[in-house]
Amino acid sequence: MDGAAAAARRVISALLRTGDDTAADMAGMAKQLHAVADQLEEHAPARETRLVNMWRGDGITRHDPVTGPENALAPPLRLTGRADGSVEGTVTLGIAYQGPPGCVHGGVSALLLDHTFGVANHWAGLSGMTAELTLRYRRPSPLFEPLTITGRQISVDGAKIRTVGGIAAGGRDCVTAEGLFIAKHLPRPR
Amino acid sequence: MDGAAAAARRVISALLRTGDDTAADMAGMAKQLHAVADQLEEHAPARETRLVNMWRGDGITRHDPVTGPENALAPPLRLTGRADGSVEGTVTLGIAYQGPPGCVHGGVSALLLDHTFGVANHWAGLSGMTAELTLRYRRPSPLFEPLTITGRQISVDGAKIRTVGGIAAGGRDCVTAEGLFIAKHLPRPR
């Protein structure tokens, strides 16, 4: 399934890279893509069943829209826990994540950081749900260049978890952020 | 091209709805999707050419990852400007946008709101780049139910633009947010 999701990522990007002003047969592409979706949907279990299945186990999930290898929306970002308690990953974003010309959409940066903070909290041993997130945009984050994404839990006070991190390119901060999380989780469906 | 992007959205969702535990031929799906990407890429202009083409004109773009009909990452959200100066849209998000079980990923909410604030600023007559964004998560935003997304510019002080808004479901606030924007744009490539 990871392979099919990776192929779907190629399609998303290739659609945007090609555009309407070419000889590409977009109607034919749509037809082929609908055929794939039809074949998949024939095998899809009931939605409620799938919502249980996809949360099976207690570890990290594989379907989220940031790191999930099964989710074609995800770049995917791969995060690694470090000995100092932080997590870090490097990702190069393409045309589908564009905001200003040639740059990462500010909201995409927020998406990556919110998720990274969640993983950082998990890595530090206590995670929860986002209560507040503040992002400061210091310079545009470039597309097509490696971005370093970091997150680190800095304090736990009862159920209140504070986490900081950011996005850097070429050693310079592009976005810095801080989050307040509450140590609580919605139950995994069973 | 909008039709092909809509079909790609169906594929992204159907992959997640189906999963690995079925009789679906995932390797075959990957092959079909790579074939579509290959055909598209044959027609893709050079990246620099495409980056100019896609920004042609001076109006709203069609390729962004929130409202863009050409971008399969976008739900897409459709925003409408209202007479009171605000913008509003309703969107129902599916499985690809999941964070906690059955709920919208907090980072996806941030992505939608950052973009909505940009559109609200454009609608109000002065837009810019995100400098600071603060999000407060009040209750989980449900998947599979209509969400109302709003944005409204509340003040302009020199180049500083302040914008507020949020996400509500069933008449109750799920996320509220405020943003500081600087009235400046990266030039469109020509």
Side-chain angles (χ1 to χ4, degrees), chain B residues 170-184:
Chain B
R172 300 177 76 192
D173 285 341
C174 298
V175 187
T176 57
E178 55 192 67
L180 168 67
F181 295 79
I182 304 298
K184 191 177 117 175

Side-chain angles (χ1 to χ4, degrees), chain A residues 8 10 18 25 33 37 43 47 52 63 69 71 79 84 88 96 99 105 110 140 143 154-155 176 178 180 183:
Chain A
R10 266 193 77 205
T18 304
D25 171 18
L33 293 169
H43 294 283
R47 185 209 275 168
V52 172
H63 59 250
N71 190 331
L79 292 165
D84 69 359
E88 183 177 304
H105 193 291
L143 293 179
I154 55 167
S155 73
T176 58
E178 56 192 66
L180 168 65

Side-chain angles (χ1 to χ4, degrees), chain A residues 48-145:
Chain A
E48 292 310 312
T49 305
R50 178 62 184 144
L51 281 173
V52 172
N53 288 349
M54 72 196 303
W55 285 99
R56 211 163 32 204
D58 290 307
I60 295 281
T61 59
R62 306 187 78 255
H63 59 250
D64 72 77
V66 176
T67 66
E70 299 180 354
N71 190 331
L73 300 189
L77 172 63
R78 290 187 186 85
L79 292 165
T80 308
R82 298 192 301 190
D84 69 359
S86 67
V87 300
E88 183 177 304
T90 302
V91 69
T92 300
L93 297 175
I95 203 160
Y97 302 94
Q98 186 174 226
C103 297
V104 178
H105 193 291
V108 168
S109 298
L111 168 60
L112 296 181
L113 284 167
D114 177 61
H115 194 83
T116 298
F117 287 9
V119 175
N121 289 333
H122 184 84
W123 177 245
L126 186 69
S127 63
M129 295 181 68
T130 317
E132 204 171 308
L133 185 67
T134 300
L135 303 125
R136 291 185 185 80
Y137 295 84
R138 299 175 185 280
R139 57 175 55 82
S141 304
L143 293 179
F144 315 121
E145 292 178 28

